[in-house]
Amino acid sequence: MNKKASLAEMLSDNVIFVIFLLAFLMTMSFYIGNFNNNAAFWAEYYAKEITNQVNLAQIGDTLEIDVEQGTKIAINNQVESKSEIFNFDNEENKFCVKLSRGRQTCNYYFNNVLVERDIREDLGEDGKDVLILKIKEKI
Amino acid sequence: MKKGELGNMTLIISFLFILGIIGFGIVSGNYAFFKDGHDIRQAEANSLNEKITECFSENEEILHENDLFSKCGIDEEIIEKNFLIVIKKDNAEIINVGKHDETRCILGDKNKQFPKCKNSTISKDGSQYFILTGSNQNFVEEIPE
């Protein structure tokens, strides 16, 4: 039997399967990758989880929250500066997260406190972006 | 068409069918898990209940809404819009704030518009206080100025 000929024949027979498989894998990885970078989902997640932390906080507390995933998504979506991403409106007790241009997701907190926020880059164990919240008394 | 070619065509169709089933499984699983977004109504109801319970044990009796909001550091407007607080002293309702009532708490699991609730009971000065809190807060999307 001619081994070279049979290998070439086998490849040519299966090339269509390989093409379909590669197309499928690329589509799925694009779908999952896209979901991982889903600004709407992550904005809702951060808005809700951080307001809940503020609800539980007491005056004098300082909260340090890893927001690396959020800042990465925002920068990918052309949000101009990191200081635009997380914003507190102390008048209305409202916290907003902006991970894409032209849209922000907001949630309200019932704890009647004043929140001062700051983003520090490259903090934490792995050099990640950290949101620092200082909880103060509302005057 | 040769006999062998017909076999190959059949194999491609079944191969595509299997890929389709796998893809559909991944997409529908993802959709089923994330379709409701991130729901923290129960966590918010628990936080509010914890805050009132703590405040209640530190302060004198809270017999009026104004006492509750000023002594416990809770924002009244936010509660009226998105939360529910019911306090009963020996089964008599003394405080009821928020746009829902306690009967709707049961429907919180089935409908996102209804609150998810948490209740607790405290004994103080020979009286039983029943504290029910609920949250039906959904996030708001805005266009920043």
Side-chain angles (χ1 to χ4, degrees), chain B residues 37-57:
Chain B
H38 188 62
D39 186 5
I40 61 156
R41 284 175 297 156
Q42 189 62 59
E44 285 180 324
N46 294 349
S47 310
L48 183 57
N49 200 290
E50 192 179 309
K51 190 164 177 69
I52 293 173
T53 313
E54 261 177 37
C55 171
F56 208 67
S57 22

Side-chain angles (χ1 to χ4, degrees), chain B:
Chain B
M1 186 182 276
K2 288 178 189 173
K3 274 185 187 173
E5 283 176 8
L6 182 69
N8 270 349
M9 282 299 290
T10 320
L11 211 58
I12 287 170
I13 291 166
S14 52
F15 179 70
L16 288 178
F17 181 69
I18 291 167
L19 288 186
I21 288 178
I22 295 170
F24 179 76
I26 293 172
V27 172
S28 57
N30 212 350
Y31 176 75
F33 191 77
F34 291 108
K35 74 176 161 60
D36 288 333
H38 188 62
D39 186 5
I40 61 156
R41 284 175 297 156
Q42 189 62 59
E44 285 180 324
N46 294 349
S47 310
L48 183 57
N49 200 290
E50 192 179 309
K51 190 164 177 69
I52 293 173
T53 313
E54 261 177 37
C55 171
F56 208 67
S57 22
E58 284 165 11
N59 288 291
E60 294 293 306
E61 277 187 3
I62 299 166
L63 294 170
H64 194 267
E65 286 170 25
N66 292 339
D67 296 334
L68 174 75
F69 295 121
S70 61
K71 286 180 183 166
C72 302
I74 295 171
D75 191 287
E76 189 174 356
E77 264 182 52
I78 304 294
I79 297 296
E80 281 172 356
K81 268 199 279 185
N82 299 312
F83 293 86
L84 164 74
I85 300 175
V86 176
I87 300 180
K88 290 178 184 173
K89 181 183 179 184
D90 297 324
N91 284 330
E93 194 173 281
I94 53 172
I95 293 174
N96 187 339
V97 197
K99 64 178 179 181
H100 286 286
D101 57 69
E102 51 183 303
T103 52
R104 297 199 177 187
C105 292
I106 306 158
L107 299 166
D109 281 332
K110 291 178 181 161
N111 190 332
K112 246 188 144 180
Q113 302 305 317
F114 291 139
K116 281 196 176 176
C117 302
K118 161 86 179 167
N119 61 54
S120 56
T121 311
I122 298 176
S123 297
K124 200 174 177 185
D125 305 327
S127 296
Q128 285 271 20
Y129 289 89
F130 171 79
I131 300 168
L132 176 93
T133 54
S135 162
N136 70 315
Q137 175 164 222
N138 284 312
F139 69 95
V140 184
E141 292 222 316
E142 289 181 355
I143 295 163
E145 289 157 15

Side-chain angles (χ1 to χ4, degrees), chain A residues 19-33:
Chain A
I19 289 169
F20 278 130
L21 186 64
L22 286 177
F24 174 77
L25 290 177
M26 278 167 68
T27 311
M28 282 297 123
S29 51
F30 178 74
Y31 172 75
I32 291 166

Side-chain angles (χ1 to χ4, degrees), chain A residues 25-119:
Chain A
L25 290 177
M26 278 167 68
T27 311
M28 282 297 123
S29 51
F30 178 74
Y31 172 75
I32 291 166
N34 206 24
F35 197 83
N36 202 32
N37 193 25
N38 185 338
F41 172 78
W42 283 103
E44 184 189 342
Y45 175 84
Y46 279 118
K48 289 183 171 179
E49 286 296 337
I50 292 174
T51 48
N52 197 39
Q53 292 306 311
V54 172
N55 281 334
L56 289 167
Q58 311 236 337
I59 290 163
D61 285 356
T62 300
L63 309 176
E64 293 190 4
I65 300 161
D66 176 356
V67 290
E68 179 75 11
Q69 178 73 15
T71 53
K72 261 190 208 166
I73 292 169
I75 299 302
N76 283 345
N77 289 332
Q78 278 92 44
V79 173
E80 280 166 15
S81 98
K82 286 184 182 177
S83 61
E84 277 183 49
I85 303 172
F86 300 101
N87 286 301
F88 280 89
D89 180 342
N90 284 306
E91 287 286 310
E92 288 190 58
N93 282 22
K94 186 167 77 171
F95 172 59
C96 293
V97 182
K98 183 181 168 188
L99 297 186
S100 55
R101 286 175 89 177
R103 197 166 82 167
Q104 63 182 14
T105 301
C106 303
N107 217 43
Y108 292 89
Y109 49 94
F110 57 75
N111 196 4
N112 212 2
V113 290
L114 184 90
V115 185
E116 277 183 11
R117 72 109 179 83
D118 191 15
I119 288 194

